[in-house]
Amino acid sequence: MAQMDPKRAEKISKALSDPTRLKILSEIRKRNECLYCVDLYENIHLAQPSISHHMKQLTDTALILSEKEGRNIKYKMNNEVIDEYIDFLQGLKK
């Protein structure tokens, strides 16, 4: 597994500092790590532009991956990046 650089860890930390983004990640995890964009609007009570902003932050950090499926977008967790981030944090305490 590749070592995460501090700049990337900083971006991920900023993305995770927002409670709405944490809720989005939790919703994706609850749905067997796959969630359609339309499902987010039902569970996250925000306007569409706000949800899009949060999704962009999460996809820019690669915490989640997006895949276009017809007219819908499917989101899933990127466990590899999450594991790299956890390893980075573990390395701070050694």
Side-chain angles (χ1 to χ4, degrees):
M1 188 178 313
Q3 180 96 18
M4 182 173 285
D5 75 49
K7 261 306 203 208
R8 186 160 185 216
E10 178 186 356
K11 282 183 79 171
I12 290 172
S13 295
K14 286 180 181 179
L16 293 174
S17 69
D18 187 282
T20 300
R21 291 183 205 130
L22 291 174
K23 184 172 181 171
I24 290 169
L25 290 173
S26 178
E27 288 296 323
I28 293 171
R29 184 184 50 83
K30 276 192 235 175
R31 305 266 182 128
N32 295 321
E33 299 187 8
C34 175
L35 184 73
Y36 287 92
C37 195
V38 69
D39 297 327
L40 278 173
Y41 302 120
E42 295 171 6
N43 297 311
I44 311 290
H45 303 292
L46 291 174
Q48 187 273 331
S50 294
I51 292 176
S52 292
H53 168 75
H54 291 299
M55 297 309 289
K56 180 167 177 23
Q57 296 295 314
L58 292 170
T59 55
D60 284 352
T61 59
L63 285 168
I64 60 173
L65 301 171
S66 63
E67 181 182 323
K68 193 157 173 89
E69 207 172 74
R71 292 180 56 196
N72 294 313
I73 298 176
K74 179 172 72 172
Y75 295 99
K76 61 183 177 177
M77 298 283 250
N78 187 347
N79 290 324
E80 186 176 314
V81 169
I82 292 170
D83 288 340
E84 287 176 19
Y85 181 68
I86 291 168
D87 288 345
F88 176 85
L89 293 176
Q90 290 287 337
L92 293 176
K93 73 176 195 176
K94 291 181 181 175

